[in-house]
Amino acid sequence: MNIRSSLFVCVSMFLNNPVHSMEMEEINANAESASLKQTLKSSPTEMEVHTAYTRPITLGQGEVSNDYHQLEIPAGPIAVYRFEAEVVEKDADGNYIPVPSYDAYLHHHVVASTHESSAYMKDKHTPMKAQMGNHAIGFGAGTECRGTPQEFFDPYAFVTAEGEDSWIANVHIINTRGMDEKNTGHCLECPCTEDNTPEDLFDPKGSSWDKCNVDLVEEENDSCFPETYKGGLRCCENGQHCLMQDSLDAEADNATYYLRYKIHYSVFASHIRPLYLAGCCDATGNLDKAGAIEYDIEVCNEEKHPGCVHTLSTTQTLDSQGSAVFGAFGNNADETHVDREVDVVYMVGHQHRGGLGITLHDEDDNEICHSTPTYGSGHDAGDEEGYIVAMSTCTFDPPLRMHTSDLIRITALYDNTKAHTGVMSLFYIAMTDVLSDDLAIDVRPYNAEPSFMLARPSSGKASFSSVSIIFVGIAVAVGLLLKKRLNNQYENLPTEYNV
């Protein structure tokens, strides 16, 4: 039996097992006592719904909005259990209607608190944090957000402070309405042009470039070096255009969009366990590097990429130095990391077009979460052909007990039949600190700085066993199966870069 056949046998076994291959009873052996769990779950929670909109976002064809918006929310303290978002516009009668991704491409939106009570978390870096925020609320996603509401089960929720009545959101939208398919494909990947390239982009001292992990550096990934950078966030700033003006229709009408957001919440109660985000996981980082946020996918080389699937795999700790991701490209090292026990409640991945899935494994190669994109197959908003319209999620009930120093491996797959610039492979991980029995219902919102329990010394920079190679192979094979399944749904982007 050849290697590929062996891998597909492994995949068949893999797909017939539960999503979480760990023994959950054993993982949670040290969880709260039954009486504590009963205390936390016994208080009924009455949900309310709040819907609102950002200010208008008016864009010409090919124009980029990468700006900050104030999101009004009910005055705190409240506990937010569900967050939904989508791009909308007004019709001729003034009604809000959904906008398809092929007209308004939502590159990302991320939400954070700027309330003074969370100022102590200003330097806490996480993969879903707006640069201007203090406490990362999360709720960050791209085109998948319409089909992937982020939700948590009682008693776990994101909690606001007393009197807090707004959040801040970094909303990144590109107006591609009226553009042909080829130009749209180029535009979505933010190619660097003479018009949108920052003056200091190619100056190694002008911006921080030393962020890529060893694998990306060794493969000489274009995104890691100023002299080869071809496209991505650095060339996709507010007010810029994704293409040269001569590639755009100067007569096209402006479009006005809004981000509509909806939260399901309750008034804060003492049984509620406040959530926050883990400091990882950006697949471009490792134990020493925070991560470069984005990377390029080179066109397929069958010797390097079996089946034309690009694989990136790296090891980090659960709550490591982290990356600002949608903020600055500066030094994001967190010097105050303290090992502690946490309960992980929710995970979801974020990828761009061409993504085939992103997976987390623990130090013993047990799968923790596999987040797979769903591609649209139609024309309506929420089912746009060739666009990621949802990402599968992992909810842990009971929560997954971990240490912030635990080593986890991130494996990300992309279809590289065609080249891509500025792709992302991130994991959003919501967790809460472990409570002792005597703190069963004495839980404070995040506006009071927590005193973390010291659990154990850091385990150091241990390496995974050689079994990791097998799981990477299985991940590639899963990617091949998904790629085949999506073959008729995903329209590959052009091979050449646009510089």
Side-chain angles (χ1 to χ4, degrees):
M1 182 179 294
N2 58 33
I3 294 176
R4 180 171 295 187
S5 299
S6 299
L7 288 176
F8 275 90
V9 170
C10 292
V11 171
S12 300
M13 297 172 61
F14 168 80
L15 293 176
N16 286 312
N17 285 327
V19 171
H20 308 295
S21 57
M22 299 180 182
E23 293 287 341
M24 296 306 295
E25 294 294 331
E26 181 179 349
I27 292 297
N28 290 281
N30 296 320
E32 291 92 348
S33 64
S35 60
L36 172 58
K37 290 180 180 178
Q38 183 61 38
T39 300
L40 293 175
K41 291 180 177 288
S42 61
S43 301
T45 302
E46 183 176 346
M47 292 290 177
E48 299 184 55
V49 179
H50 170 79
T51 302
Y53 302 82
T54 63
R55 68 178 185 273
I57 303 170
T58 301
L59 300 171
Q61 188 182 82
E63 189 174 358
V64 177
S65 177
N66 189 4
D67 205 358
Y68 288 86
H69 297 257
Q70 181 172 300
L71 306 185
E72 296 179 355
I73 58 174
I78 62 172
V80 179
Y81 290 90
R82 180 182 170 99
F83 187 97
E84 306 170 30
E86 65 174 337
V87 178
V88 297
E89 64 183 341
K90 291 182 178 180
D91 64 14
D93 297 323
N95 301 309
Y96 289 100
I97 58 174
V99 179
S101 293
Y102 51 76
D103 282 345
Y105 181 74
L106 181 60
H107 186 283
H108 70 262
H109 78 279
V110 289
V111 183
S113 169
T114 57
H115 195 268
E116 60 183 7
S117 63
S118 61
Y120 74 93
M121 300 185 76
K122 178 70 176 178
D123 296 328
K124 165 69 175 175
H125 295 287
T126 62
M128 293 292 185
K129 182 175 180 178
Q131 182 182 358
M132 294 178 62
N134 294 333
H135 174 260
I137 305 299
F139 309 131
T143 58
E144 74 271 20
C145 71
R146 184 179 274 127
T148 314
Q150 295 175 13
E151 53 189 333
F152 319 101
F153 59 92
D154 192 58
Y156 304 96
F158 278 90
V159 177
T160 65
E162 180 74 33
E164 184 174 6
D165 60 4
S166 67
W167 289 330
I168 192 170
N170 172 220
V171 182
H172 190 174
I173 295 175
I174 306 173
N175 179 28
T176 57
R177 175 166 286 169
M179 296 172 62
D180 62 33
E181 184 177 351
K182 179 179 179 181
N183 278 343
T184 297
H186 289 322
C187 187
L188 302 185
E189 301 199 338
C190 299
C192 295
T193 70
E194 293 179 6
D195 294 338
N196 66 23
T197 301
E199 293 182 1
D200 65 349
L201 176 65
F202 302 107
D203 178 4
K205 297 181 180 179
S207 185
S208 177
W209 287 94
D210 187 24
K211 293 293 183 180
C212 291
N213 62 34
V214 173
D215 289 346
L216 290 175
V217 172
E218 288 183 349
E219 76 172 33
E220 299 181 342
N221 194 278
D222 287 343
S223 68
C224 298
F225 310 98
E227 61 272 19
T228 56
Y229 188 84
K230 292 181 173 65
L233 280 173
R234 300 175 193 263
C235 294
C236 215
E237 291 297 340
N238 190 56
Q240 295 178 339
H241 288 78
C242 61
L243 298 176
M244 296 288 289
Q245 290 293 338
D246 59 8
S247 297
L248 302 172
D249 181 3
E251 303 299 322
D253 293 333
N254 288 348
T256 299
Y257 305 120
Y258 306 79
L259 184 73
R260 175 166 59 195
Y261 58 100
K262 180 187 294 186
I263 62 172
H264 296 238
Y265 72 98
S266 72
V267 175
F268 178 76
S270 60
H271 77 286
I272 293 172
R273 302 278 299 277
L275 294 171
Y276 62 95
L277 297 185
C280 75
C281 299
D282 176 0
T284 67
N286 56 19
L287 290 169
D288 301 312
K289 306 282 187 181
I293 305 169
E294 55 185 1
Y295 61 108
D296 290 352
I297 303 297
E298 63 180 330
V299 70
C300 179
N301 178 327
E302 282 284 0
E303 292 184 4
K304 295 169 60 177
H305 312 115
C308 289
V309 174
H310 182 280
T311 303
L312 179 62
S313 188
T314 184
T315 300
Q316 298 176 7
T317 55
L318 177 63
D319 200 31
S320 58
Q321 56 191 1
S323 167
V325 179
F326 297 122
F329 288 85
N331 182 4
N332 300 320
D334 180 4
E335 301 294 343
T336 60
H337 175 68
V338 177
D339 183 51
R340 58 195 184 277
E341 273 193 314
V342 292
D343 283 334
V344 176
V345 174
Y346 177 89
M347 295 182 178
V348 64
H350 170 67
Q351 290 190 305
H352 289 189
R353 294 211 316 173
L356 297 174
I358 180 170
T359 307
L360 290 184
H361 287 87
D362 68 12
E363 189 172 357
D364 296 320
D365 284 306
N366 297 303
E367 182 183 289
I368 300 174
C369 180
H370 180 61
S371 187
T372 306
T374 297
Y375 285 84
S377 58
H379 195 71
D380 295 335
D383 188 32
E384 302 91 330
E385 184 175 1
Y387 290 80
I388 294 178
V389 297
M391 291 289 296
S392 63
T393 65
C394 298
T395 296
F396 302 92
D397 184 9
L400 180 64
R401 180 62 52 84
M402 298 185 71
H403 282 264
T404 56
S405 64
D406 285 347
L407 294 176
I408 51 180
R409 179 164 47 80
I410 308 102
T411 302
L413 307 180
Y414 267 87
D415 172 6
N416 69 338
T417 306
K418 303 292 183 181
H420 302 279
T421 60
V423 306
M424 297 181 180
S425 292
L426 311 170
F427 250 106
Y428 163 98
I429 301 175
M431 62 189 189
T432 187
D433 289 303
V434 171
L435 302 178
S436 57
D437 284 333
D438 59 340
L439 294 177
I441 59 174
D442 185 19
V443 184
R444 296 170 293 177
Y446 69 79
N447 54 310
E449 183 170 2
S451 54
F452 298 124
M453 294 189 299
L454 295 178
R456 62 172 181 172
S458 174
S459 59
K461 299 177 181 179
S463 60
F464 285 111
S465 69
S466 59
V467 180
S468 301
I469 299 174
I470 297 175
F471 279 89
V472 170
I474 292 175
V476 172
V478 172
L480 288 170
L481 289 178
L482 178 60
K483 178 180 175 182
K484 181 177 180 181
R485 183 183 304 170
L486 298 174
N487 188 47
N488 295 325
Q489 300 178 12
Y490 172 64
E491 182 69 24
N492 286 309
L493 301 181
T495 304
E496 69 276 6
Y497 290 121
N498 307 276
V499 182

